[in-house]
Amino acid sequence: MAALRRRLVKRRIRIRRTRGRRLRRALVVLLALLANLVGAAVVAYHLTKIPEPHPETAMQSTVFVDDHGDYLGRRGPVDRQEIPLSQVPRYVQEAVIAAENRSFRTDTGISPRAIARAAWATVSGGDRQGGSTITQQYVKNALLSPEQTLSRKAREALISIKLDRTRSKDEILQGYLNTVYFGRGAAGIQSAARNYFGVDAKDLTVSQGAALASVINIPSYYEKAGSDPKVTAKLVDRWEWVLDAMAHSGAITSAQRAGARFPAFRFYPPGDTDGQRQYLIDAAASEAADRLGITEDQLARGGYTVRTTFDLTAQDATAELAADGTEKKTGEKTAEEKAAEAKAGGKKPAEVKTTGDVRVHTAVVALVPGDGAVRVLYGGADYASQPFNDARDGAVEAGTALQPFSGMKLLAPLTDLTRTAAPTPLRLASVYATAAAHGVYATPYTVAKITRAGRTLYEAHPRTRTAMTRADAGTVAKLLYDRLDAPLATQTGAAGLRTLWQTTYDEHLTLTVALFAEHPAKGKKAALPAPLPYTAGSRSLSVSEGVWSKIAGTAEGHDPAAEPNPGLPTGQTKPILATR
């Protein structure tokens, strides 16, 4: 026992004597390991290249708006439009920072604590961890794949640090705001502003900006806000939290915070988008691509904003008045039907007996005389079932619709119009618009302006030429005005019982309504022309009067104002669109 105690004592003494040496050795090893890690990190940092954004993040959609700037629709593979940071209000930028990364303006691009949490979750198999910085989110979403591996996380951190050191915070924030997903199919702040509130990003209010910032956290859940009470309540809580942070940081004033009200969201999910508005987008997309000298596919992917000439309120009113329908007609006309037909066509009623389903097609065109801007282009009720545009491309039998121009010498591009058996409603409307503009023909157009990222690429100007003498135009006007002794010139024409035309015009507006009918195709049996129902006359009159009043403002009891317009012929005035 004494010998064992002596050995233990000697061992303790030896350990005490060598402790310092062993600690120094361990420290050297640790420092060497740390130096190797730092060296490896430095080498990895210098070898790391900032990748180009994914092809899909470079894709954008093209948005179409009406003459008032109201959203009409879009074309493109991704609902995204890139805008400069200058078009995002500062308080919207600060709302996103308050919601996603409050240290964004001062951090190095990464959050070590968040990286450690995510790494541990990956190793341990736990739930995915959030908390990444805005820079990391941008790198993950736009530059890297979304896979959850340690190597990808390490690369994300290196790229984020390098991005933060080589790019300004504003550049990073701009990239983030243009690519982050907001739900409702919207990638980027511009599309989100339209999808949630129907406005451009530059027009977002403080409350709307804070709401969009709040959505980013769980976009697939919060996108239902406004239609799902539970989701809305949860988003309101987060919205309050974001606004409180903005007020605390000085991004908004205490008065702005006190006055904030949770904004109204557009209904979600949206309704059917394959209705007749697609006819308008077809026409405008074709024209816009031609004006830019690109293909329609390039246009759809280019992130353009196409401002059309259409009046969407009048177009929607036309759809309500003129929606295609299937009618059955049998037997004789009633006295009411005879009166309506006589009023619309000025013809003696005829007894016609037919049976079977009849599909009535209605085409409506509204043009600005002397300018050519197309306000209404109603080519059908349902694009999904009939993508063919009756107003722009349909050949409708003219009959007596062009009778006022018979014997007149029309110049190009109207030279052969009176010899055309079945013109398109758009072309027929253009000849009456020429008469309304004292003989000046204006090429119809549907695109007023094309912009991209705030820069104007194209702006329309009327393309006019003399197509009939002023005297001939006056003859047409005298004939049509005197016939009805009314403030508007009206011509009603028809091709037997197969078609019915009605054109009304003054110096401000030309409106053409064309009706024709067919027995719908069944199986292998093709569609066949059919006589119009006896109600066609009253229907044509109803559509014409309703659309005219919607555009010209006569529904409010006043005539279109006479504003001087030096771009129009002498005596011509601007059309007043009283739909707003």
Side-chain angles (χ1 to χ4, degrees):
M1 289 295 294
L4 180 58
R5 280 196 298 271
R6 284 195 298 271
R7 283 198 298 271
L8 290 173
V9 169
K10 289 180 180 180
R11 188 172 183 179
R12 283 196 295 270
I13 293 171
R14 189 165 59 250
I15 290 173
R16 283 196 297 268
R17 288 175 179 174
T18 60
R19 180 183 298 167
R21 185 166 61 250
R22 284 185 290 105
L23 287 174
R24 287 193 296 274
R25 286 177 181 174
L27 183 59
V28 169
V29 171
L30 183 61
L31 290 174
L33 180 60
L34 185 60
N36 286 332
L37 289 174
V38 171
V42 171
V43 171
Y45 174 83
H46 285 291
L47 292 178
T48 295
K49 294 182 178 179
I50 299 174
E52 292 296 321
H54 297 312
E56 57 268 27
T57 62
M59 291 181 184
Q60 302 183 61
S61 64
T62 285
V63 168
F64 296 82
V65 298
D66 82 342
D67 188 57
H68 302 277
D70 288 344
Y71 182 74
L72 179 61
R74 72 174 182 89
R75 287 281 169 85
V78 178
D79 190 0
R80 189 181 82 86
Q81 279 198 303
E82 193 164 305
I83 58 173
L85 192 63
S86 59
Q87 291 188 19
V88 182
R90 181 73 178 194
Y91 50 76
V92 177
Q93 299 175 35
E94 294 301 326
V96 172
I97 290 171
E100 292 297 305
N101 178 196
R102 296 180 185 180
S103 64
F104 171 72
R105 299 285 185 191
T106 57
D107 64 32
T108 60
I110 64 169
S111 169
R113 186 177 299 177
I115 292 175
R117 281 201 313 268
W120 174 252
T122 301
V123 172
S124 63
D127 293 334
R128 288 178 55 183
Q129 297 293 311
S132 298
T133 64
I134 282 176
T135 306
Q136 286 176 269
Q137 289 183 55
Y138 173 61
V139 169
K140 178 178 65 177
N141 295 333
L143 308 181
L144 294 177
S145 64
E147 60 180 335
Q148 298 295 311
T149 63
L150 286 175
S151 60
R152 196 207 60 79
K153 282 288 184 183
R155 191 163 180 240
E156 174 190 303
L158 287 171
I159 294 174
S160 297
I161 294 171
K162 196 161 194 174
L163 197 68
D164 188 78
R165 291 174 63 87
T166 57
R167 308 274 175 87
S168 70
K169 290 290 187 179
D170 279 353
E171 285 181 283
I172 296 170
L173 185 60
Q174 175 176 294
Y176 176 77
L177 288 173
N178 277 320
T179 54
V180 66
Y181 184 62
F182 285 87
R184 297 195 176 191
I189 189 71
Q190 175 73 345
S191 294
R194 282 215 172 101
N195 287 7
Y196 281 89
F197 302 113
V199 300
D200 288 328
K202 63 183 177 59
D203 298 319
L204 287 168
T205 65
V206 170
S207 292
Q208 290 171 337
L212 287 182
S214 303
V215 164
I216 296 173
N217 179 244
I218 320 175
S220 59
Y221 177 77
Y222 288 130
E223 68 182 3
K224 302 178 185 66
S227 59
D228 186 316
K230 183 179 178 181
V231 173
T232 304
K234 188 170 182 179
L235 184 61
V236 169
D237 289 341
R238 185 168 174 80
W239 173 79
E240 297 270 9
W241 174 74
V242 169
L243 285 174
D244 287 343
M246 294 175 68
H248 184 265
S249 67
I252 57 175
T253 65
S254 56
Q256 286 176 306
R257 174 65 188 94
R261 298 293 180 269
F262 190 75
F265 280 33
R266 297 180 72 188
F267 180 76
Y268 186 81
D272 183 13
T273 59
D274 289 328
Q276 55 88 29
R277 289 189 184 188
Q278 292 299 323
Y279 294 110
L280 307 184
I281 295 175
D282 268 0
S286 175
E287 185 176 323
D290 182 64
R291 296 291 178 264
L292 295 176
I294 59 178
T295 66
E296 288 191 45
D297 184 62
Q298 289 172 319
L299 177 79
R301 296 169 180 267
Y304 302 95
T305 295
V306 178
R307 193 181 191 96
T308 69
T309 61
F310 303 123
D311 181 334
L312 194 50
T313 300
Q315 183 77 27
D316 289 344
T318 304
E320 293 179 11
L321 291 164
D324 293 352
T326 298
E327 302 180 25
K328 288 186 177 181
K329 62 173 188 172
T330 55
E332 299 183 356
K333 297 174 251 184
T334 65
E336 183 179 357
E337 290 168 340
K338 290 178 183 179
E341 184 178 87
K343 182 180 180 182
K347 300 185 302 177
K348 292 181 179 180
E351 300 296 331
V352 179
K353 295 184 179 182
T354 60
T355 59
D357 291 338
V358 175
R359 181 173 179 79
V360 179
H361 290 255
T362 305
V364 183
V365 177
L367 286 173
V368 178
D371 180 276
V374 180
R375 298 303 185 205
V376 172
L377 189 67
Y378 181 88
D382 186 6
Y383 185 88
S385 60
Q386 180 202 301
F388 185 82
N389 189 321
D390 286 330
R392 186 179 68 160
D393 306 312
V396 183
E397 193 174 1
T400 60
L402 289 167
Q403 202 170 54
F405 302 95
S406 60
M408 290 184 181
K409 183 179 180 181
L410 300 178
L411 305 178
L414 302 176
T415 307
D416 62 345
L417 184 59
T418 55
R419 298 190 298 273
T420 304
T424 67
L426 179 60
R427 191 153 189 243
L428 187 136
S430 69
V431 70
Y432 280 95
T434 301
H438 315 293
V440 175
Y441 171 85
T443 303
Y445 66 97
T446 64
V447 175
K449 191 176 183 179
I450 305 173
T451 59
R452 186 182 187 186
R455 193 163 56 94
T456 299
L457 304 178
Y458 168 80
E459 194 159 9
H461 299 284
R463 293 185 292 171
T464 61
R465 61 185 301 172
T466 300
M468 70 175 68
T469 66
R470 193 178 184 88
D472 282 345
T475 299
V476 173
K478 187 175 187 304
L479 172 67
L480 299 185
Y481 278 107
D482 286 354
R483 179 182 297 172
L484 295 174
D485 191 23
L488 302 177
T490 300
Q491 163 67 10
T492 301
L497 295 173
R498 297 179 299 278
T499 68
L500 181 63
W501 294 84
Q502 181 163 311
T503 297
T504 303
Y505 75 79
D506 66 5
E507 290 188 335
H508 309 283
L509 185 70
T510 298
L511 175 65
T512 291
V513 178
L515 275 73
F516 65 96
E518 66 178 8
H519 293 295
K522 291 184 178 179
K524 295 183 179 180
K525 188 177 180 181
L528 295 173
L532 284 165
Y534 300 129
T535 55
S538 58
R539 178 175 181 173
S540 174
L541 193 62
S542 172
V543 171
S544 183
E545 291 179 348
V547 176
W548 185 277
S549 66
K550 180 60 69 173
I551 298 177
T554 53
E556 285 75 27
H558 62 273
D559 293 327
E563 295 183 5
N565 185 346
L568 299 180
T570 303
Q572 184 69 11
T573 54
K574 285 183 180 179
I576 303 303
L577 302 181
T579 58
R580 292 293 183 279

